[in-house]
Each structure stands twice: as structure tokens, then as C-alpha cells.
Amino acid sequence: MTAQSDLATLCRRKALDQFAILDTPRESEFDEIAELAAAICEAPVALVSFVDSDRQWFKAEVGFGRRETPLDQSICAYALAEDDILEIPDTRLDPRSSFNPLVAGEPHVRFYAGAVLRTAEGVAIGTLCVLDNEVRRLTELQRQTLRVLARQVMRELELRVALRLQDTLRREIDHRVKNQLQSVASFVRLKATRARDMPTRRALEAVSYRVSAAALLHEEMHSLPTGDEIALDRYLDKLGRLVAASGPEGVAVDVAIDPVRVSATQASAVAAIVNEFVTNAFKHGFPDGRPGRITVIGRVRDGVLEVRMADDGVGCDGALESQGIGMRIMDAAANQIAGELVFDTSGPGVALSLTAPLVIPPSLGDVPFPLPKG
């Protein structure tokens, strides 16, 4: 091998690593391109072929029956040097293919045409090719079809790289935002401990809870493999433990949510409502060191999320104050996800029910949901 060919192989391998396509399962996006190429070119075999350093590997194949072959059986390797389509009407007469085992023996390939798969940087990584066991030529329409479909293969690969980069950037942003929010929450908690009057202390503690809940959401998003689906059960369990650690001594917080994944927007809204309910229960439901329990129970039925929050504290006489900042936060969060809030002050304690349609349908099916009383 020459230095130039060594460099080309290195660049090709680097590009293939970037696309992370080798040895992946078959996918309809690529299978359909190969099927269309075979149909339009009227060829029994079509391949989406990537040329590795020691083999050619097929992401998609029609009529060939193998996922890879050694390089000594690769006509595609010669196509990589072409600016356009490599077409060999009779493989027995061309020195690039006449001694190929697939030509000399089974399956007796007699015709080859391949359009190069080339990256935006100009690196040739493989071909979209068609094979036949008869000597022939493509029509101009068939050649143009191969060119267009080869570009479609590259667009699919480049889109996947762009999405991975976007996801990496999102994760980095979530990580940084989480760290910043945690720093703010710590600073606010420190200020709360130094506050001289109780109203100021309570206001700062409430701010700290809200900031911590936002930081926890970004931590959950940072841990996701892909997309922005949040495991609501895990997220609210962490939130419950976080808030309980800062609550009054003797007041327990129990969280039980059915396993379900929701959008980040819905998770944030539900967490804001739960956070406000629990912190308000701490503030008003258990005066003078009174012990007690706060429960948060969530189930999924018919595509609807139902969350029941309740405390067994001193309760509330009459209607709840509707102009407080906590109530406004809960109303805004419920409106954001088309949810409905219903308070129950009949006692013991105070209860709040949230119902909202799921943004991401659950995979669990219907589960009976016996909401606790009170």
C-alpha cells in the first residue's frame, strides 16, 4: 500500500467511527433505500456498503444474503476512487473485477454499478451499489437514481451525527445549569439560616426548595440516554427525599408514583406542584413540633396522570388563600400541562388532586387507582 492509500484508509476509518454505523442492526431507513435502488435499476442485488480497513460491511442488502465480505471480494473499494458512478458492464473483462471470487465463482456477478457515499469533507466511505448476473448497462435515469439515493444515505448519516452532537450539547448545558442552580440553592439556604425574622427565613427556604427542584430536573435530564423523557417516578422520589431532608423533624414524606415517562415540561410542572404542596404543608400543617406524614401517590389511567397529595396535619378552616405565591405557582404549572387541581380541606389535614393528560403515553396500561382519603 502507498502512503496515499494508507492516509485514505485512515480518513475513511475515522469517518466511519464518527458515523458509528458499522456492525449496527438493520434499519428500515437504509433497507428501503436498497430496495428502491434494486427496483429502479432492475437488479437482483442492491447493497449499502461501507468499506472498512479489512472488509466491506453492508448496512442494507437485497438479494445478497450476507452482511460483510473480505476486501478481496470488494468491487466497491475501487469505486471509492471515482468522482461519479463506477459502472462495469462485464466484470469478467475488467481488471478490477475479473479475478474477484464473486465473479469467478458463486454468485457469478457479471455487472456492477456503484455510487460513492462521500462525506461533506470529501471522504469516500462506501457505495450504494447494484449487482446483476447478466452483462448490461444502466439507463441514465437509473444512474441518476443511484446518485440521488446515495446522497440520501449520506443525509441520513449526517443527520444522526448532528442529533448526537445536539444531544451532547444539551447534556453539557443541563450539567452546567444544574451546578449553577445548586450553587444558588446553597447560597439561599445559607441566607435563610442567617435571617433574623421568621417570615424572611421561610420565604428564603421556599425559594431554595424551588431552585433545588429545578436543579434536580436538570440532573435527571443529564442522566437520560436520549431525548427529553423523564422517569417521573424516579424524579419525584428524589424530590421527595430532597424536600423531606429540609422539613420539620418528625414529619415524613412518602412518595409512590407508577413507573411512567413524561416530557421534561410535564415533569417540571408536576414537580412544581408537589414541591409547593409539601413545603406549604411543612409551613402550615405541623405547628409547634407536631409530627405527621405527607403522602404523594400517582397513578396512570386511560392516558391520564393522577397525583394525590395529602397531609395529616391540623388542616384548614374554610377556603385556602388563593392569592399567595405558592398557589399562583401551582395554578400556572397546572395550566402549562392542561391539568386540573382540586383541593379538599374537609380533613384530616389538606389534600390536593392533580389530573393531567400524559404528554407521552404510558406503556403500562390501566392500573386501578384507589386514592387514599384525606
PDB file of all heavy atoms in Angstrom, residues 254-270:
ATOM      1  N   ASP A 254     -43.799  10.536  52.072  1.00  0.00           N
ATOM      2  CA  ASP A 254     -43.846   9.279  51.330  1.00  0.00           C
ATOM      3  C   ASP A 254     -44.298   9.553  49.894  1.00  0.00           C
ATOM      4  O   ASP A 254     -45.334  10.191  49.670  1.00  0.00           O
ATOM      5  CB  ASP A 254     -44.822   8.299  51.984  1.00  0.00           C
ATOM      6  CG  ASP A 254     -44.364   7.865  53.367  1.00  0.00           C
ATOM      7  OD1 ASP A 254     -43.140   7.861  53.599  1.00  0.00           O
ATOM      8  OD2 ASP A 254     -45.227   7.554  54.206  1.00  0.00           O
ATOM      9  N   VAL A 255     -43.523   9.062  48.930  1.00  0.00           N
ATOM     10  CA  VAL A 255     -43.841   9.257  47.518  1.00  0.00           C
ATOM     11  C   VAL A 255     -43.958   7.901  46.848  1.00  0.00           C
ATOM     12  O   VAL A 255     -43.048   7.070  46.964  1.00  0.00           O
ATOM     13  CB  VAL A 255     -42.762  10.104  46.806  1.00  0.00           C
ATOM     14  CG1 VAL A 255     -43.092  10.244  45.320  1.00  0.00           C
ATOM     15  CG2 VAL A 255     -42.637  11.476  47.460  1.00  0.00           C
ATOM     16  N   ALA A 256     -45.056   7.659  46.136  1.00  0.00           N
ATOM     17  CA  ALA A 256     -45.259   6.400  45.402  1.00  0.00           C
ATOM     18  C   ALA A 256     -45.918   6.743  44.073  1.00  0.00           C
ATOM     19  O   ALA A 256     -47.109   7.064  44.021  1.00  0.00           O
ATOM     20  CB  ALA A 256     -46.125   5.438  46.203  1.00  0.00           C
ATOM     21  N   ILE A 257     -45.137   6.678  42.987  1.00  0.00           N
ATOM     22  CA  ILE A 257     -45.625   7.017  41.656  1.00  0.00           C
ATOM     23  C   ILE A 257     -45.454   5.809  40.749  1.00  0.00           C
ATOM     24  O   ILE A 257     -44.402   5.170  40.759  1.00  0.00           O
ATOM     25  CB  ILE A 257     -44.849   8.217  41.063  1.00  0.00           C
ATOM     26  CG1 ILE A 257     -44.829   9.398  42.044  1.00  0.00           C
ATOM     27  CG2 ILE A 257     -45.442   8.620  39.709  1.00  0.00           C
ATOM     28  CD1 ILE A 257     -46.157  10.044  42.271  1.00  0.00           C
ATOM     29  N   ASP A 258     -46.478   5.494  39.986  1.00  0.00           N
ATOM     30  CA  ASP A 258     -46.346   4.421  38.999  1.00  0.00           C
ATOM     31  C   ASP A 258     -45.208   4.736  38.030  1.00  0.00           C
ATOM     32  O   ASP A 258     -45.022   5.894  37.647  1.00  0.00           O
ATOM     33  CB  ASP A 258     -47.635   4.277  38.190  1.00  0.00           C
ATOM     34  CG  ASP A 258     -48.647   3.373  38.870  1.00  0.00           C
ATOM     35  OD1 ASP A 258     -48.272   2.682  39.833  1.00  0.00           O
ATOM     36  OD2 ASP A 258     -49.808   3.365  38.434  1.00  0.00           O
ATOM     37  N   PRO A 259     -44.445   3.718  37.604  1.00  0.00           N
ATOM     38  CA  PRO A 259     -43.398   3.966  36.601  1.00  0.00           C
ATOM     39  C   PRO A 259     -44.007   4.534  35.323  1.00  0.00           C
ATOM     40  O   PRO A 259     -44.857   3.913  34.702  1.00  0.00           O
ATOM     41  CB  PRO A 259     -42.793   2.581  36.365  1.00  0.00           C
ATOM     42  CG  PRO A 259     -43.132   1.798  37.595  1.00  0.00           C
ATOM     43  CD  PRO A 259     -44.467   2.318  38.043  1.00  0.00           C
ATOM     44  N   VAL A 260     -43.582   5.715  34.947  1.00  0.00           N
ATOM     45  CA  VAL A 260     -44.085   6.356  33.738  1.00  0.00           C
ATOM     46  C   VAL A 260     -43.082   7.408  33.293  1.00  0.00           C
ATOM     47  O   VAL A 260     -42.447   8.058  34.128  1.00  0.00           O
ATOM     48  CB  VAL A 260     -45.473   7.001  33.971  1.00  0.00           C
ATOM     49  CG1 VAL A 260     -45.412   8.109  35.003  1.00  0.00           C
ATOM     50  CG2 VAL A 260     -46.064   7.519  32.669  1.00  0.00           C
ATOM     51  N   ARG A 261     -42.922   7.554  31.981  1.00  0.00           N
ATOM     52  CA  ARG A 261     -42.017   8.557  31.418  1.00  0.00           C
ATOM     53  C   ARG A 261     -42.849   9.676  30.820  1.00  0.00           C
ATOM     54  O   ARG A 261     -43.816   9.420  30.091  1.00  0.00           O
ATOM     55  CB  ARG A 261     -41.094   7.937  30.375  1.00  0.00           C
ATOM     56  CG  ARG A 261     -40.284   6.757  30.893  1.00  0.00           C
ATOM     57  CD  ARG A 261     -39.254   6.300  29.889  1.00  0.00           C
ATOM     58  NE  ARG A 261     -38.122   7.202  29.825  1.00  0.00           N
ATOM     59  CZ  ARG A 261     -37.083   7.163  30.660  1.00  0.00           C
ATOM     60  NH1 ARG A 261     -37.046   6.264  31.633  1.00  0.00           N
ATOM     61  NH2 ARG A 261     -36.083   8.017  30.525  1.00  0.00           N
ATOM     62  N   VAL A 262     -42.466  10.899  31.123  1.00  0.00           N
ATOM     63  CA  VAL A 262     -43.195  12.067  30.634  1.00  0.00           C
ATOM     64  C   VAL A 262     -42.204  13.056  30.032  1.00  0.00           C
ATOM     65  O   VAL A 262     -40.984  12.887  30.140  1.00  0.00           O
ATOM     66  CB  VAL A 262     -43.995  12.739  31.776  1.00  0.00           C
ATOM     67  CG1 VAL A 262     -44.997  11.774  32.376  1.00  0.00           C
ATOM     68  CG2 VAL A 262     -43.058  13.267  32.857  1.00  0.00           C
ATOM     69  N   SER A 263     -42.718  14.092  29.401  1.00  0.00           N
ATOM     70  CA  SER A 263     -41.846  15.121  28.857  1.00  0.00           C
ATOM     71  C   SER A 263     -41.219  15.929  29.991  1.00  0.00           C
ATOM     72  O   SER A 263     -41.734  15.955  31.115  1.00  0.00           O
ATOM     73  CB  SER A 263     -42.633  16.058  27.941  1.00  0.00           C
ATOM     74  OG  SER A 263     -43.520  16.864  28.710  1.00  0.00           O
ATOM     75  N   ALA A 264     -40.114  16.603  29.679  1.00  0.00           N
ATOM     76  CA  ALA A 264     -39.457  17.441  30.684  1.00  0.00           C
ATOM     77  C   ALA A 264     -40.390  18.544  31.158  1.00  0.00           C
ATOM     78  O   ALA A 264     -40.397  18.904  32.347  1.00  0.00           O
ATOM     79  CB  ALA A 264     -38.171  18.030  30.104  1.00  0.00           C
ATOM     80  N   THR A 265     -41.202  19.080  30.254  1.00  0.00           N
ATOM     81  CA  THR A 265     -42.142  20.138  30.625  1.00  0.00           C
ATOM     82  C   THR A 265     -43.152  19.629  31.631  1.00  0.00           C
ATOM     83  O   THR A 265     -43.441  20.290  32.649  1.00  0.00           O
ATOM     84  CB  THR A 265     -42.872  20.660  29.370  1.00  0.00           C
ATOM     85  OG1 THR A 265     -41.919  21.232  28.477  1.00  0.00           O
ATOM     86  CG2 THR A 265     -43.902  21.709  29.736  1.00  0.00           C
ATOM     87  N   GLN A 266     -43.696  18.431  31.384  1.00  0.00           N
ATOM     88  CA  GLN A 266     -44.691  17.898  32.308  1.00  0.00           C
ATOM     89  C   GLN A 266     -44.059  17.520  33.649  1.00  0.00           C
ATOM     90  O   GLN A 266     -44.640  17.767  34.709  1.00  0.00           O
ATOM     91  CB  GLN A 266     -45.392  16.687  31.698  1.00  0.00           C
ATOM     92  CG  GLN A 266     -46.619  16.251  32.508  1.00  0.00           C
ATOM     93  CD  GLN A 266     -47.569  15.389  31.713  1.00  0.00           C
ATOM     94  OE1 GLN A 266     -47.142  14.616  30.880  1.00  0.00           O
ATOM     95  NE2 GLN A 266     -48.849  15.516  31.966  1.00  0.00           N
ATOM     96  N   ALA A 267     -42.864  16.955  33.594  1.00  0.00           N
ATOM     97  CA  ALA A 267     -42.182  16.607  34.841  1.00  0.00           C
ATOM     98  C   ALA A 267     -41.925  17.850  35.687  1.00  0.00           C
ATOM     99  O   ALA A 267     -42.122  17.846  36.908  1.00  0.00           O
ATOM    100  CB  ALA A 267     -40.865  15.901  34.537  1.00  0.00           C
ATOM    101  N   SER A 268     -41.498  18.921  35.058  1.00  0.00           N
ATOM    102  CA  SER A 268     -41.215  20.164  35.773  1.00  0.00           C
ATOM    103  C   SER A 268     -42.476  20.733  36.412  1.00  0.00           C
ATOM    104  O   SER A 268     -42.459  21.184  37.561  1.00  0.00           O
ATOM    105  CB  SER A 268     -40.600  21.186  34.807  1.00  0.00           C
ATOM    106  OG  SER A 268     -40.379  22.418  35.447  1.00  0.00           O
ATOM    107  N   ALA A 269     -43.583  20.698  35.656  1.00  0.00           N
ATOM    108  CA  ALA A 269     -44.833  21.245  36.180  1.00  0.00           C
ATOM    109  C   ALA A 269     -45.353  20.425  37.359  1.00  0.00           C
ATOM    110  O   ALA A 269     -45.760  20.983  38.392  1.00  0.00           O
ATOM    111  CB  ALA A 269     -45.878  21.299  35.066  1.00  0.00           C
ATOM    112  N   VAL A 270     -45.346  19.095  37.226  1.00  0.00           N
ATOM    113  CA  VAL A 270     -45.811  18.237  38.319  1.00  0.00           C
ATOM    114  C   VAL A 270     -44.925  18.424  39.550  1.00  0.00           C
ATOM    115  O   VAL A 270     -45.416  18.528  40.685  1.00  0.00           O
ATOM    116  CB  VAL A 270     -45.835  16.760  37.881  1.00  0.00           C
ATOM    117  CG1 VAL A 270     -46.174  15.858  39.071  1.00  0.00           C
ATOM    118  CG2 VAL A 270     -46.845  16.548  36.762  1.00  0.00           C
TER     119      VAL A 270
END
